[in-house]
């Protein structure tokens, strides 16, 4: 077994065994899918490289890449485009977030057959816009009225989506009842005992939590797969029905929170959080302009979970559909850079993160930008070598259970 295989198996050993097999299978798709599923490798290697310039401490989402931006419905019922995955979030040098994101541009663009010259231009654009936004010292937000180009179209479509759309996608009608569908390959049946406990738990959350929806009851529960890196964690989808409005339904996602995979590879002193879920949603609230709808935490069977409303639309921009539209790609990357800087500005000066003055100075400093880009370009080549080794080991059966 290669050292790479040892590292992957060690990291995933505490996840649900059957689901980990699906994770490994998903990671064979291409180098970018592999990169999304191996955030821990990136930080293991970064800790040993010591190649990045000194940078201010900021709150980071930790696993920033081009598919961890997307639409979501805020608790004010408006739709936003922003960073949307905070499972790995913590306090760390700003360069960590940048290198992770810029590396994703190089890897994703090659997987999409977008030439290396365009990838390099987009990497430079991301860093340039990120710096320009920091230098201004003022965060921005993107919603349908302020969005441009393809992001505007994306958010407008999300804003126009209805609860009926998601109901049609996620449910079936049987015996005069609406039920969560098990036809979707990402949906799995939950055993009776667990289902009974989960139902009681969420009904209690609805009744007692100030973050829960009023006047709803659980009508259905399934186990749900989503993403790549999070395949293998415990994750449940709940169908809730209103008790006082006819044919009114709501979907709630409950996802197990694990320690950040960045944590072992940073020397930065971290806050002592009550639970991992508290770390995730507190950082999310600091970094996003508006919080996701129903964002909350709970503890079930001694594991902490993040709860939030399931979004009614696919919530990431599909670059595969944009690969021949240079202007659209430019606008999306430009927006992502401004949002990354804005998240750091918005959370600046909180519990150890750099104040706005320091972030402005970092944004105007020209000396570090090429270093980040070059590190990311070289690391993207390393990821491709990892991916080839992983596929070889996978085909040889080295990741099979037992």
């Amino acid at each position: 077994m290669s050292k790479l295989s040892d590292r992957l198996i060690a990291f995933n050993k505490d996840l649900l065994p059957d689901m980990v097999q699906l994770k490994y299978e998903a990671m064979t798709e291409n180098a970018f899918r592999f990169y999304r599923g191996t955030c821990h490798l990136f930080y293991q290697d970064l800790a040993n490289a010591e190649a990045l310039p000194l940078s201010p401490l900021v709150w980071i989402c930790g696993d920033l890449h081009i598919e961890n931006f997307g639409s979501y419905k805020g608790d004010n019922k408006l739709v936003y485009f922003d960073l949307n995955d905070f499972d790995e979030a913590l306090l760390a040098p700003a360069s960590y977030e940048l290198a992770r994101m810029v590396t994703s541009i190089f890897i994703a663009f090659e997987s999409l057959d977008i030439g290396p010259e365009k990838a390099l231009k987009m990497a430079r654009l991301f860093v340039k816009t990120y710096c320009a936004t920091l230098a201004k010292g003022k965060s921005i937000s993107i919603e349908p009225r302020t969005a441009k180009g393809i992001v505007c179209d994306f958010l407008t479509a999300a804003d126009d989506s209805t609860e009926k759309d998601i109901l049609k996608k996620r449910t079936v009608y049987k015996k005069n009842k609406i039920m969560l569908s098990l036809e979707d390959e990402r949906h799995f049946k939950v055993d009776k005992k667990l289902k009974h406990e989960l139902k009681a738990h969420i009904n209690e959350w609805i009744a007692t939590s100030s973050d829960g929806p009023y006047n709803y009851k659980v009508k259905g529960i399934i186990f749900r797969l989503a993403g790549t890196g999070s395949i293998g964690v415990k994750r449940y989808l709940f169908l809730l029905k209103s008790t006082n409005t006819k044919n009114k339904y709501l979907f709630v996602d409950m996802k197990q929170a694990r320690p950040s995979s960045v944590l072992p590879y940073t020397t930065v002193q971290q806050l002592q959080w009550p639970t991992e879920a508290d770390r995730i949603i507190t950082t999310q609230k600091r970094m996003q302009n508006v919080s996701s709808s129903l964002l909350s935490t709970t503890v079930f069977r001694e594991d902490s979970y993040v709860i939030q409303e399931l979004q009614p639309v696919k919530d990431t921009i599909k670059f595969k559909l944009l690969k021949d539209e240079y202007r659209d790609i430019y606008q999306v990357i430009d927006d992502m850079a401004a949002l990354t800087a804005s998240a750091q500005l918005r959370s600046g000066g909180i519990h150890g993160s750099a104040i706005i003055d320091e972030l402005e100075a970092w944004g105007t400093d020209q000396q570090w930008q090429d270093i980040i880009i070059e590190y990311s370009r070289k690391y993207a080549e390393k990821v491709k070598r990892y991916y080839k080794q992983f596929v070889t080991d996978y085909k040889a059966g080295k990741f099979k259970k037992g």
Side-chain angles (χ1 to χ4, degrees), residues 242-273:
S242 173
T243 57
N244 63 2
T245 304
K246 189 177 180 181
N247 297 324
K248 177 78 171 174
Y249 294 89
L250 191 63
F251 291 87
V252 169
D253 179 77
M254 175 174 148
K255 182 181 180 184
Q256 181 188 13
R258 299 183 74 222
S260 170
S261 62
V262 190
L263 183 61
Y265 310 107
T266 178
T267 58
V268 177
Q269 181 67 41
Q270 301 296 321
L271 295 179
Q272 296 300 307
W273 302 99

Side-chain angles (χ1 to χ4, degrees), residues 38-309:
T38 56
C39 183
H40 61 289
L41 289 184
F42 178 85
Y43 288 106
Q44 284 176 357
D45 291 343
L46 184 62
N48 295 324
E50 297 182 357
L52 296 184
L54 291 174
S55 59
L57 294 181
V58 296
W59 291 101
I60 66 170
C61 87
D63 186 21
L64 197 65
H65 57 72
I66 64 170
E67 289 202 1
N68 271 346
F69 293 81
S71 69
Y72 68 93
K73 184 165 70 173
D75 54 17
N76 59 4
K77 305 305 178 187
L78 299 178
V79 176
Y80 292 87
F81 184 70
D82 209 341
L83 289 71
N84 68 355
D85 187 328
F86 297 85
D87 291 352
E88 315 295 348
L90 44 55
L91 188 68
S95 58
Y96 282 26
E97 192 91 295
L98 276 182
R100 178 78 180 156
M101 175 63 189
V102 175
T103 299
S104 85
I105 293 173
F106 286 113
I107 298 169
F109 278 35
E110 178 160 327
S111 296
L112 294 168
D113 295 321
I114 299 174
E117 290 185 4
K118 278 189 178 179
L120 181 58
K121 285 182 180 178
M122 290 300 140
R124 287 175 174 160
L125 170 66
F126 184 91
V127 173
K128 179 182 176 183
T129 302
Y130 166 84
C131 289
T133 307
L134 282 187
K136 290 176 184 174
K138 186 173 178 61
S139 63
I140 65 147
S141 62
I142 297 179
E143 39 96 356
R145 293 171 298 178
T146 59
K148 301 173 185 176
I150 194 71
V151 176
C152 181
D153 296 339
F154 178 67
L155 285 182
T156 300
D159 201 26
D160 289 342
S161 295
T162 65
E163 292 170 1
K164 287 183 179 179
D165 294 330
I166 192 170
L167 200 63
K168 184 178 180 182
K169 180 182 176 182
R170 299 278 180 180
T171 62
V172 291
Y173 195 73
K174 288 183 179 179
K175 298 178 182 178
N176 296 321
K177 286 183 179 180
I178 290 180
M179 304 168 63
L180 283 166
S181 173
L182 289 170
E183 295 173 7
D184 191 313
E185 62 181 8
R186 297 165 300 173
H187 291 180
F188 298 84
K189 192 174 182 179
V190 177
D191 73 66
K192 260 185 187 178
K193 183 176 185 298
L194 175 58
K195 196 172 188 177
H196 178 77
E197 289 183 36
L198 283 168
K199 182 176 182 179
H201 185 84
I202 292 300
N203 279 334
E204 177 71 11
W205 172 74
I206 292 169
T208 60
S209 172
S210 59
D211 298 308
Y214 296 110
N215 301 312
Y216 278 87
K217 290 287 184 183
V218 176
K219 290 297 178 182
I221 306 167
I222 57 168
F223 185 96
R224 174 175 177 250
L225 287 184
T228 302
S230 60
I231 296 176
V233 303
K234 299 166 189 172
R235 189 169 195 168
Y236 306 100
L237 178 63
F238 297 85
L239 174 65
L240 310 184
K241 184 178 182 181
S242 173
T243 57
N244 63 2
T245 304
K246 189 177 180 181
N247 297 324
K248 177 78 171 174
Y249 294 89
L250 191 63
F251 291 87
V252 169
D253 179 77
M254 175 174 148
K255 182 181 180 184
Q256 181 188 13
R258 299 183 74 222
S260 170
S261 62
V262 190
L263 183 61
Y265 310 107
T266 178
T267 58
V268 177
Q269 181 67 41
Q270 301 296 321
L271 295 179
Q272 296 300 307
W273 302 99
T275 68
E276 295 296 342
D278 284 287
R279 169 184 58 81
I280 292 169
I281 77 159
T282 302
T283 309
Q284 182 170 348
K285 288 177 179 180
R286 289 173 179 174
M287 296 182 72
Q288 288 181 329
N289 180 49
V290 175
S291 297
S292 301
S293 180
L294 303 182
L295 188 62
S296 181
T297 69
T298 191
V299 175
F300 176 73
R301 288 186 174 180
E302 299 184 351
D303 288 322
S304 68
Y305 288 81
V306 172
I307 295 177
Q308 58 188 320
E309 183 177 356

Side-chain angles (χ1 to χ4, degrees), residues 12 33 36 46 266 319 322 346 349 392-393:
N12 291 290
R33 194 82 188 266
R36 288 167 55 195
L46 184 62
T266 178
F319 276 79
L322 297 182
R346 198 174 287 122
T392 298
D393 288 351

Side-chain angles (χ1 to χ4, degrees), residues 21-38 67 107-108 110-113 185-186 227-229 231 318-320 383-384 386-388 390-392 394-395:
Q21 294 301 306
L22 296 177
K23 178 178 181 177
Y24 291 144
E25 181 183 358
M27 285 163 50
T28 64
E29 182 182 342
N30 55 46
F32 182 52
R33 194 82 188 266
F34 173 83
Y35 183 69
R36 288 167 55 195
T38 56
E67 289 202 1
I107 298 169
E110 178 160 327
S111 296
L112 294 168
D113 295 321
E185 62 181 8
R186 297 165 300 173
T228 302
I231 296 176
K318 299 303 177 187
F319 276 79
K320 191 179 292 186
V383 172
K384 288 189 286 182
Y386 278 160
Y387 172 66
K388 288 180 181 177
F390 168 71
V391 172
T392 298
Y394 181 83
K395 288 179 178 178

